[in-house]
Amino acid sequence: MKISDLNPIYDQLQLKYGAPELNSIYNGGCENHPDLCFVFMNPTGRNIASLKSWPGRKSPWIGTKNIWSLFHDLNLVDENIFQTIRRIKGSDWTPEFANRVYDDVKKHKYFITNLGKCTQLDARELPDSVLAEYLHLLEQEIDIIKPKVTILFGNQVSSIVLGQKISVSTVRKQPFIKNINGTNYTFYSVYYPVGNGHFNIDKSVEDIKWIIKEEIN
């Protein structure tokens, strides 16, 4: 199975749980044994790739700024690309520039996805029951790309993926092992670094740098 084989399922779930005027957002980056897989919550309409008029790839965080500051602080994005992201408006992203950004993500050997792929108009919190419907699909993504480490952002995503109540503040730098289709994968829970969680971005950077040093380097 290729990871793109899951996209039609995500599109069906967009019709069920997402804003009908927006497209679902899939994933992007290194699909062949990445060092890191980053799992966020769910996309919003701020991602211009969710617009029906968008002709390019449908990957997370296209047309946004804040999350790329996290990747920059982790030395996971080239300086010239990061400065372009900072300089241009979100509406000025083109499909060609989105491909440049994700080619850079691939070069740095990480993969970006969301637990829920159903795009909302705003950053409303989705019920656990909705995100849980995507769990087996995320597990398929992980089993296809086979990352060295998966980073789960926030309490809700961590709790659903790990199948237990997680409070990030109490499990910092603590690995969790989850078996998916006979293979053990390593997970860490990290503070959500954008939106209301932006004030925790320093803790996110600290923990991910520690994880990279312990698990990757």
Side-chain angles (χ1 to χ4, degrees), residues 54-68:
W54 176 260
R57 66 184 303 134
K58 295 193 285 185
S59 294
W61 306 110
I62 291 176
T64 69
K65 294 183 184 293
N66 289 344
I67 196 59
W68 301 104

Side-chain angles (χ1 to χ4, degrees), residues 64-65 68 77-90 92-93 97 100-101:
T64 69
K65 294 183 184 293
W68 301 104
V77 59
D78 284 351
E79 188 66 28
N80 62 331
I81 288 179
F82 177 65
Q83 292 303 328
T84 301
I85 290 172
R86 289 186 63 190
R87 185 179 70 251
I88 66 175
K89 298 177 181 178
D92 290 337
W93 281 55
F97 182 64
R100 279 185 59 202
V101 170

Side-chain angles (χ1 to χ4, degrees), residues 190-203:
V190 172
Y191 282 101
Y192 205 86
V194 293
N196 292 333
H198 184 68
F199 61 90
N200 284 321
I201 192 169
D202 289 345
K203 296 176 184 176

Side-chain angles (χ1 to χ4, degrees), residues 4 34 40 63 69 74 78 84 94 110 112 127 130 134 150 168 174 211:
S4 59
F40 294 91
S69 295
L74 295 170
D78 284 351
T84 301
T94 64
Y110 62 104
I112 307 173
V130 172
Y134 287 88
T150 298
V168 171
Q174 176 182 328
I211 292 164

Side-chain angles (χ1 to χ4, degrees), residues 110-167:
Y110 62 104
F111 183 82
I112 307 173
T113 191
N114 291 287
L115 173 54
K117 308 301 193 293
C118 49
T119 310
Q120 308 296 315
L121 290 172
D122 52 28
R124 72 189 67 182
E125 185 172 307
L126 290 175
D128 287 358
S129 59
V130 172
L131 290 178
E133 287 211 30
Y134 287 88
L135 177 57
H136 72 289
L137 298 166
L138 176 69
E139 291 173 345
Q140 288 185 62
E141 285 187 26
I142 290 170
D143 204 37
I144 290 169
I145 67 172
K146 301 189 183 308
K148 291 181 181 178
V149 176
T150 298
I151 306 294
L152 305 171
F153 285 106
N155 296 338
Q156 187 182 29
V157 168
S158 299
S159 297
I160 291 170
V161 174
L162 297 175
Q164 57 184 287
K165 186 67 174 178
I166 297 292
S167 175

Side-chain angles (χ1 to χ4, degrees), residues 41 72 96 106 132 158 199 203:
M41 193 179 306
H72 180 260
E96 292 75 22
K106 182 178 179 180
S158 299
F199 61 90
K203 296 176 184 176

